[in-house]
Amino acid sequence: MHILDSGIERSSAFLVSQWGGVSIANLPDTTRPGDKVVLSPEDMQNHMGYFISQIRSLVGIRSNAPLASSAQLQVRVRPATATGVSGWELDALMRRWLVRNRQTAITTLQSLVRLVDSLQNMVVMDDIKEKVDRSLAALYETENALRRLPDLNYVHAFASAESAASLAESAFFDPSMVSMLYFPDQHKYAIYMPFFLPATLPLVAALKKIFAERRRVKAAASVKESSKTD
């Protein structure tokens, strides 16, 4: 079994997004169900090569990413080690995720602020406030680590950005925050109206009766005063 790539190249492995990779062991035609099959070291090396390539794709390492924008610039690429990932590839991946996590944290916190401002009656719990404070502190640590020239600490900045993004998303998607999105003021009126309406109607009727009685007394007094004048 082979997979045609653009109708020219054949491959025995494929990648399933968000699940993993598959490598097909094409056994000899003489193999029958129940036969014991032992793969040779050469076959295992091919399969391990497929798995390493798939792992690189899953974690986001770009094998064909351009390293230079100018044709005159010659770049020597250090080959990967036995782990399948070279140092410069790991560094580029870490920097890319640093920027992504930092942006995610900032965007999520801004969305959280807009959400709280749009719902004036929303109650923000203390643990959510603590997560937001810790996320802002982690963002501050990220910025400080990136500004320490010339000794830039990308590892510390990456860890801080990852922590900031995780805390911001945890605060935004907290169950107490999500429940408020589906509990607008109209729901509150629908819930509390059956309790307050029976007590409100007699009060309104009593107030109406009092005002009517005052108008009647005032009108009677006015008629009496006019009769005295005559």
Side-chain angles (χ1 to χ4, degrees):
M1 180 177 178
H2 295 280
I3 303 171
L4 295 179
D5 184 10
S6 302
I8 301 176
E9 298 181 358
R10 296 194 308 172
S11 176
S12 299
F14 59 92
L15 188 64
V16 181
S17 180
Q18 298 183 356
W19 285 91
V22 177
S23 179
I24 303 171
N26 292 303
L27 303 178
D29 297 337
T30 57
T31 305
R32 296 291 180 266
D35 292 350
K36 183 178 180 180
V37 179
V38 179
L39 298 179
S40 64
E42 290 78 10
D43 293 335
M44 289 299 300
Q45 185 175 5
N46 292 332
H47 290 299
M48 289 300 104
Y50 291 143
F51 290 145
I52 291 175
S53 177
Q54 291 169 353
I55 291 175
R56 288 168 56 90
S57 298
L58 288 173
V59 300
I61 298 178
R62 305 173 186 176
S63 300
N64 55 349
L67 299 178
S69 58
S70 176
Q72 290 80 15
L73 182 62
Q74 299 295 327
V75 179
R76 283 190 175 185
V77 179
R78 185 176 182 181
T81 60
T83 60
V85 180
S86 62
W88 70 269
E89 288 176 326
L90 183 61
D91 183 73
L93 179 65
M94 181 180 63
R95 298 187 187 202
R96 189 162 64 248
W97 274 102
L98 189 158
V99 175
R100 185 176 302 177
N101 287 331
R102 176 181 175 275
Q103 187 62 36
T104 299
I106 295 175
T107 304
T108 305
L109 290 175
Q110 290 175 345
S111 301
L112 183 59
V113 171
R114 288 193 296 266
L115 174 63
V116 175
D117 289 340
S118 63
L119 300 176
Q120 299 296 331
N121 296 329
M122 174 178 286
V123 178
V124 180
M125 308 301 289
D126 291 338
D127 57 340
I128 299 178
K129 176 182 177 300
E130 181 182 358
K131 291 178 181 178
V132 172
D133 292 339
R134 291 169 57 191
S135 178
L136 290 173
L139 278 175
Y140 182 75
E141 288 293 329
T142 303
E143 298 298 328
N144 284 342
L146 294 177
R147 292 176 181 175
R148 293 171 185 168
L149 297 175
D151 300 326
L152 295 179
N153 193 345
Y154 283 105
V155 176
H156 181 66
F158 170 78
S160 299
E162 183 182 15
S163 178
S166 177
L167 289 169
E169 291 184 344
S170 178
F172 186 82
F173 293 105
D174 189 89
S176 63
M177 298 291 291
V178 176
S179 62
M180 292 299 296
L181 295 177
Y182 305 98
F183 195 72
D185 293 336
Q186 291 82 353
H187 290 186
K188 298 178 182 178
Y189 300 149
I191 292 175
Y192 293 112
M193 190 67 71
F195 297 98
F196 291 105
L197 189 60
T200 304
L201 289 179
L203 179 61
V204 173
L207 290 175
K208 183 179 179 181
K209 185 177 180 180
I210 292 173
F211 286 127
E213 183 66 19
R214 290 184 63 182
R215 284 197 300 267
R216 187 186 66 80
V217 173
K218 187 176 181 180
S222 177
V223 172
K224 186 177 179 180
E225 184 69 25
S226 61
S227 61
K228 288 181 178 180
T229 304
D230 295 337

